[in-house]
Amino acid sequence: MSSIIQLLPDHVANQIAAGEVVQRPASVVKELLENAVDAKATDIKLIIKDAGKSLIQVIDNGVGMSVTDARLCFERHATSKIRQAEDLFSLHTKGFRGEALASIAAIAHVEMKTKQDQEELGTHLIIEGSKFVSQEVAVLPKGTSFAVKNLFYNIPARRNFLKSDIVEYRHVIDEFQRVALAHPNIHFTFYHNGSEMFNLPQSNFRQRIVAIFSGKTNEKLVPVQEETELVEIQGFVSKPEFAKKNRGEQFFFVNDRYIKSGYLHHAVMAAYDGILKDGAQPSYFLFLSVPPHTIDINIHPTKTEIKFDDEQALYAILRAAIKHSLGQFNVAPILDFDRDATLDTPYHYKDLEGVIPTVQVDANFNPFAETQPTKSYSGSGSNYKKTEIASSWEGLYVGLKQETETFSASSNFSFENEEVTSSLFDLEDAEPTIHRTYQIHKKYIVSPIKSGMVIVDQQRAHQRVLYEQFLVNMTVHQASSQQLLFPLNLYFSKNEMELIAELQLSLMNTGFVFEETQKDHVVISGIPVNITESEVSLVLEQLLSDLQDGIPESSFSQNDTIAKSMAKSLAVKTGSYLTEKEQENLVNGLFACKEPNVSPFQKPTFITMRVEDIDKKFAL
């Protein structure tokens, strides 16, 4: 019987491996940038076109490669990072598998130019689908240039799974930011479709954060620093008042490698316990330096997850370090129940000497004397004058009886009638007050109907009402706007500004008026009539959070997403008290909607209870 198991050809194996390494253009950007960093480059340029679908090019001034290395680097499991299995536990570089370039070359057109500093000429290679097309000697500058063109050209099904250019571009920016934050000592430049998006000169960590996330970031940051035998922590966290709805600005770096860790994120949130609003997420940029042998970074294909030897101790140290920093910079309140604040010495008293009070006693003072002269008592620098009193206390009441007798009942005085009436208005003919709605636990509204009663969820009902209002305004283009006396300046990161630019037309249809749009902020001079000025930033933050996975391409889907997000932000929340008039308006508005049964998120807005159902409860 013939064997049915056979070795796969190299080009097929490379395409299969590419499925793990290369998921989208951002994956290629990550691998090439990390290779440039490992090559000890001090200047790295990233150039992409069409969000990386047409071109991804990384140019560095690193050590370069020889002719042999240039050819060998595209072979599977060929790497300069490790030599034996023990090296996996003492890694100081980014990549080490030796599969990245081979996988990229299997699914794209790759052009590589490289030259070492001591060599006069470099090497120019062209590869298409794992096949070497040409290899030439060329005059090149020091370093390496990788150009990856037409990604997934030979796997059209995979190319069709790519998202829109906006979504893929955001993923590329995410990968670029992670590498750029981890290495502030390297000059990074980023170009997209011929336009310069980022120019990050060599700087310190704080300056790099501000350069990437806009100028207002500087005033948000609180430094964190802690050094122990187990870990060294450096970085910054944000002040609680600058917390956002989304988790976009949260970065952990372990030994200069970006990682994701829900366990460490929980430690950060525990440090903010009690000083954040519900649903708010703080920003943090934290560097953790640990001995390489205490971590295992080979547990995930993308190397974004790490296994620590002692996670519990690391959790406690991280939480304590952040909590200490927040308290040290007066960001978090410090409670000390053993301390009496009234005993604190004011600053303007700290150098003053105490004054000893003096007391003067009059030895000739007789309290039983008929008359007393004026005396002066001196104590603590103050004087008290005692006036002469009557010769006898009985004299104080002399003539009191005669004075009171003058005000007799026969006197010609008229007094205002002090009779208190039971009511200011005669209510005999008035209609009795009828309560049509009742609020229960500040969450549900109960309204009687002929067959029984309706119980309405106030938050979901308001979401449905607002959702249909916003949707009509955006489709009919008749939204009304209220002008602000003082325009609002709202600052966002470059990622968020890209989203706002795409959504600007739809937001204008809801009632927003954009007076000015800059690279890092927008100026809003008008807002929808049902939004207060203080709610604008919350609405936009919620909208950006809901669109993290991308903006729908069709205009209707885009309007639908915006209407849902704004309705969620502005709807009355559970726990809010509503007056009877507000309750009635909400119930009437709900049943005037086209689809009153469910909220915009397909949750029921109300339930009905018939009298028969209530009777059955009592019959038990």
Side-chain angles (χ1 to χ4, degrees):
M1 184 177 180
S2 61
S3 60
I4 59 176
I5 298 177
Q6 56 185 341
L7 292 174
L8 288 174
D10 286 342
H11 69 280
V12 178
N14 286 338
Q15 286 190 1
I16 295 173
E20 295 182 358
V21 179
V22 184
Q23 300 174 353
R24 56 187 355 134
S27 305
V28 179
V29 171
K30 174 181 181 293
E31 298 291 347
L32 296 183
L33 286 178
E34 289 182 348
N35 282 344
V37 171
D38 287 340
K40 301 178 181 178
T42 59
D43 191 296
I44 300 176
K45 293 183 176 64
L46 171 63
I47 303 169
I48 66 171
K49 290 184 179 179
D50 301 328
K53 297 177 181 177
S54 299
L55 172 67
I56 301 172
Q57 185 173 9
V58 174
I59 305 171
D60 67 69
N61 63 347
V63 296
M65 288 181 281
S66 64
V67 178
T68 305
D69 290 342
R71 187 72 180 242
L72 192 59
C73 72
F74 290 99
E75 299 295 330
R76 291 191 69 197
H77 306 303
T79 179
S80 63
K81 314 297 175 60
I82 61 175
R83 290 289 183 268
Q84 52 190 356
E86 288 75 12
D87 294 340
L88 290 173
F89 300 98
S90 60
L91 287 172
H92 298 278
T93 58
K94 304 291 185 181
F96 54 86
R97 289 181 301 177
E99 288 187 336
L101 296 182
S103 301
I104 294 170
I107 54 174
H109 297 159
V110 178
E111 182 178 1
M112 184 185 74
K113 300 176 182 179
T114 182
K115 173 185 171 297
Q116 293 179 318
D117 192 20
Q118 66 272 18
E119 299 292 335
E120 294 184 359
L121 297 175
T123 305
H124 182 195
L125 280 173
I126 298 178
I127 304 175
E128 296 179 359
S130 295
K131 296 180 181 179
F132 283 86
V133 176
S134 67
Q135 177 177 343
E136 299 176 350
V137 177
V139 178
L140 301 170
K142 172 198 171 185
T144 305
S145 170
F146 273 99
V148 180
K149 304 175 183 177
N150 305 322
L151 195 64
F152 298 124
Y153 81 99
N154 53 355
I155 313 179
R158 192 68 180 272
R159 189 177 180 90
N160 292 335
F161 273 100
L162 294 178
K163 304 294 184 181
S164 64
D165 286 358
I166 298 174
V167 177
E168 297 299 339
Y169 173 63
R170 291 188 61 225
H171 284 288
V172 170
I173 288 183
D174 289 341
E175 294 295 346
F176 174 80
Q177 288 177 348
R178 292 166 184 172
V179 178
L181 283 172
H183 302 279
N185 58 328
I186 299 177
H187 181 195
F188 286 92
T189 315
F190 180 21
Y191 299 91
H192 181 220
N193 291 338
S195 300
E196 183 181 273
M197 308 308 298
F198 291 94
N199 191 344
L200 309 174
Q202 296 180 358
S203 59
N204 58 34
F205 188 38
R206 187 178 193 125
Q207 292 170 339
R208 178 58 57 89
I209 295 173
V210 174
I212 291 178
F213 293 103
S214 81
K216 282 287 183 179
T217 307
N218 189 39
E219 59 190 61
K220 306 178 187 177
L221 302 178
V222 176
V224 177
Q225 189 167 6
E226 186 69 39
E227 186 172 354
T228 65
E229 294 180 356
L230 181 65
V231 62
E232 181 182 349
I233 302 173
Q234 289 184 338
F236 300 91
V237 295
S238 68
K239 298 177 182 177
E241 60 265 28
F242 294 103
K244 297 183 177 181
K245 291 285 186 181
N246 59 1
R247 298 176 58 174
E249 298 178 7
Q250 296 180 345
F251 296 88
F252 280 117
F253 299 95
V254 176
N255 295 353
D256 294 341
R257 180 190 297 273
Y258 170 79
I259 68 159
K260 298 177 182 178
S261 175
Y263 191 69
L264 295 182
H265 172 75
H266 191 275
V268 176
M269 298 302 294
Y272 279 91
D273 188 26
I275 57 176
L276 280 181
K277 298 179 181 178
D278 291 340
Q281 293 286 336
S283 301
Y284 53 79
F285 312 86
L286 296 172
F287 273 88
L288 282 70
S289 298
V290 299
H293 65 273
T294 62
I295 59 174
D296 183 2
I297 62 177
N298 199 28
I299 64 172
H300 193 273
T302 60
K303 305 299 176 286
T304 56
E305 296 182 11
I306 289 181
K307 178 66 177 176
F308 296 93
D309 280 354
D310 194 349
E311 287 187 331
Q312 293 183 346
L314 190 62
Y315 181 100
I317 294 171
L318 181 61
R319 181 182 62 180
I322 296 175
K323 209 171 187 67
H324 174 71
S325 294
L326 294 176
Q328 184 179 11
F329 290 90
N330 295 326
V331 176
I334 301 176
L335 297 179
D336 186 356
F337 295 102
D338 296 329
R339 172 177 164 273
D340 189 354
T342 59
L343 299 179
D344 292 345
T345 303
Y347 286 112
H348 58 280
Y349 282 157
K350 67 176 184 176
D351 296 328
L352 296 180
E353 296 182 358
V355 179
I356 300 176
T358 59
V359 178
Q360 296 179 359
V361 179
D362 186 2
N364 298 323
F365 175 71
N366 184 3
F368 299 101
E370 292 185 355
T371 58
Q372 294 290 341
T374 301
K375 300 296 180 182
S376 175
Y377 299 93
S378 176
S380 300
S382 61
N383 295 326
Y384 171 72
K385 298 288 186 178
K386 184 176 180 181
T387 58
E388 295 183 3
I389 59 175
S391 59
S392 178
W393 60 269
E394 292 90 345
L396 295 174
Y397 299 96
V398 174
L400 181 61
K401 184 176 180 180
Q402 291 79 359
E403 291 178 0
T404 56
E405 289 177 352
T406 58
F407 297 98
S408 61
S410 59
S411 303
N412 296 325
F413 285 93
S414 60
F415 297 93
E416 184 179 355
N417 187 6
E418 296 180 356
E419 181 181 356
V420 179
T421 59
S422 60
S423 175
L424 295 177
F425 303 98
D426 189 3
L427 299 179
E428 291 182 0
D429 298 331
E431 296 182 359
T433 303
I434 300 176
H435 295 280
R436 300 185 182 276
T437 58
Y438 301 88
Q439 190 179 27
I440 300 177
H441 294 293
K442 297 181 181 179
K443 184 176 183 180
Y444 300 108
I445 299 173
V446 179
S447 179
I449 56 176
K450 290 183 179 180
S451 60
M453 63 180 177
V454 176
I455 303 177
V456 179
D457 187 309
Q458 64 184 34
Q459 183 172 354
R460 295 178 182 176
H462 200 203
Q463 286 177 354
R464 165 55 63 178
V465 174
L466 292 176
Y467 168 72
E468 294 199 2
Q469 288 179 359
F470 287 129
L471 209 56
V472 169
N473 291 340
M474 285 187 284
T475 53
V476 183
H477 304 289
Q478 292 182 350
S480 55
S481 176
Q482 53 179 334
Q483 295 299 311
L484 298 175
L485 184 61
F486 301 101
L488 291 175
N489 293 319
L490 301 179
Y491 288 82
F492 299 96
S493 65
K494 293 187 178 181
N495 280 1
E496 294 169 338
M497 287 301 301
E498 291 283 339
L499 285 176
I500 290 177
E502 293 292 331
L503 300 171
Q504 186 168 341
L505 181 59
S506 298
L507 290 174
M508 291 173 65
N509 292 333
T510 64
F512 284 98
V513 178
F514 291 87
E515 184 176 308
E516 189 178 352
T517 303
Q518 298 293 336
K519 288 185 177 181
D520 61 347
H521 73 281
V522 292
V523 180
I524 298 176
S525 59
I527 57 177
V529 292
N530 50 356
I531 297 180
T532 62
E533 186 175 342
S534 60
E535 294 174 328
V536 175
S537 60
L538 299 177
V539 169
L540 294 181
E541 283 182 11
Q542 181 66 56
L543 179 59
L544 295 173
S545 176
D546 293 339
L547 293 173
Q548 277 185 330
D549 296 330
I551 302 174
E553 295 185 5
S554 65
S555 59
F556 176 78
S557 299
Q558 190 177 118
N559 292 341
D560 182 72
T561 303
I562 295 175
K564 285 180 179 178
S565 178
M566 294 180 64
K568 180 167 62 175
S569 300
L570 298 172
V572 61
K573 302 297 186 293
T574 297
S576 300
Y577 171 75
L578 299 180
T579 64
E580 185 180 351
K581 188 67 175 176
E582 291 171 337
Q583 298 170 28
E584 291 184 8
N585 290 339
L586 181 55
V587 173
N588 294 335
L590 174 64
F591 290 103
C593 294
K594 292 182 179 180
E595 296 183 15
N597 296 328
V598 293
S599 72
F601 307 99
Q602 303 306 310
K603 302 290 185 180
T605 57
F606 68 90
I607 60 173
T608 58
M609 291 189 67
R610 300 179 302 169
V611 176
E612 292 82 356
D613 298 333
I614 301 176
D615 291 339
K616 290 179 181 177
K617 296 288 185 182
F618 284 99
L620 296 176

